[in-house]
Amino acid sequence: MTQGPDAPHRAAAPAQAIGDAPQGEPTRSATHIRSFVTRRGHISAAQERALREVLPRVRLAYAAHPLDLVAAFGRSAPTVLEIGFGMGETTAAIAHRRPDVNFLAIDVFAAGCGALAKRIDEMALSNLRVMQHDAVEIVRDMLMPDLLAGVHIYFPDPWPKARHHKRRLVAPPFVALLASRIAPGGYLHCATDWQHYAEQMLAVLSAEALLENLHESYAPAPRNPLAERPTTKFHARGTRLGHGVWDLVFKRKG
């Protein structure tokens, strides 16, 4: 399976030894098809140490009630949600560049959570929190309408086989839910390195009544007039190999 610029977790999910997600099982966990499958994979010693020593300081637990962002971050600031941060390179870079914004990062895989926790510690990031749980349940149960300044979905699992397309995260029911959580004027920025998924994303996002495309179709990658996606080493390698990348930037209507 072709990998995206910041999606090494798509090929090898972590072992279940340390904090494998999802954490807990809410009573409504069977109401949607999950966009991920927990598999075993390698966790480095550094990631394992960060899971033990750093992640508890920056992790927010899932709970089936609204999240108090001021309490979670210790301040009131615009909040951007990222779903599926891989190994956290892009997430940490954006958070470092925008200290005035709070970033809530969600992923289910332990290796990625350990890698991001390690970056948070090394870069002394105080504006980034991590949730290791199913993003659909977090958005549905914990985020109130009109709450978010923006949402990033960068290189989600493309589920390339036709019989697995139902597992794709960017699909009408979830996009409708997600759009309702974005404040008027806020944005949704998606990116993928699979052309078929890009075409589906464009169709799904264009059909959502609460969203409007800021471009005629795809955005000039990786530029976003509201939040720029940095080019990672994985993206740069893919570009050298001739792999395509498609960005889409939509705005929540007022």
Side-chain angles (χ1 to χ4, degrees), residues 68-103:
D68 184 340
L69 290 176
V70 174
F73 287 91
R75 66 174 187 173
S76 178
T79 300
V80 170
L81 171 70
E82 179 167 359
I83 300 175
F85 53 75
M87 303 307 283
E89 181 183 359
T90 294
T91 310
I94 296 175
H96 181 263
R97 192 173 60 216
R98 293 298 307 272
D100 56 315
V101 175
N102 293 335
F103 291 89

Side-chain angles (χ1 to χ4, degrees), residues 33-130:
I33 298 173
R34 294 197 189 280
S35 62
F36 61 89
V37 174
T38 303
R39 303 173 295 270
R40 289 189 175 274
H42 175 71
I43 301 179
S44 71
Q47 292 164 358
E48 189 171 340
R49 184 166 56 252
L51 285 168
R52 289 196 311 267
E53 300 175 4
V54 181
L55 188 61
R57 302 200 304 265
V58 297
R59 179 175 56 201
L60 302 177
Y62 168 83
H65 57 71
L67 175 64
D68 184 340
L69 290 176
V70 174
F73 287 91
R75 66 174 187 173
S76 178
T79 300
V80 170
L81 171 70
E82 179 167 359
I83 300 175
F85 53 75
M87 303 307 283
E89 181 183 359
T90 294
T91 310
I94 296 175
H96 181 263
R97 192 173 60 216
R98 293 298 307 272
D100 56 315
V101 175
N102 293 335
F103 291 89
L104 177 62
I106 302 173
D107 209 309
V108 296
F109 298 117
C113 289
L116 180 56
K118 182 173 180 290
R119 295 180 194 276
I120 291 172
D121 187 51
E122 292 173 345
M123 299 170 69
L125 300 174
S126 61
N127 60 330
L128 180 53
R129 299 291 181 270
V130 180

Side-chain angles (χ1 to χ4, degrees), residues 104-166:
L104 177 62
I106 302 173
D107 209 309
V108 296
F109 298 117
C113 289
L116 180 56
K118 182 173 180 290
R119 295 180 194 276
I120 291 172
D121 187 51
E122 292 173 345
M123 299 170 69
L125 300 174
S126 61
N127 60 330
L128 180 53
R129 299 291 181 270
V130 180
M131 297 193 74
Q132 189 182 358
H133 193 79
D134 182 352
V136 175
E137 292 170 358
I138 291 172
V139 174
R140 181 192 67 198
D141 301 337
M142 300 187 70
L143 302 183
M144 298 296 290
D146 301 340
L147 181 69
L148 301 170
V151 176
H152 300 164
I153 304 178
Y154 297 153
F155 307 98
D157 195 320
W159 293 102
K161 295 182 180 179
R163 69 177 183 271
H164 293 153
H165 286 180
K166 62 186 178 182

Side-chain angles (χ1 to χ4, degrees), residues 177-198:
L177 174 66
L178 197 58
S180 73
R181 269 49 178 177
I182 301 172
Y187 68 90
L188 171 58
H189 185 178
C190 300
T192 182
D193 57 343
W194 283 79
Q195 184 174 356
H196 183 271
Y197 199 4

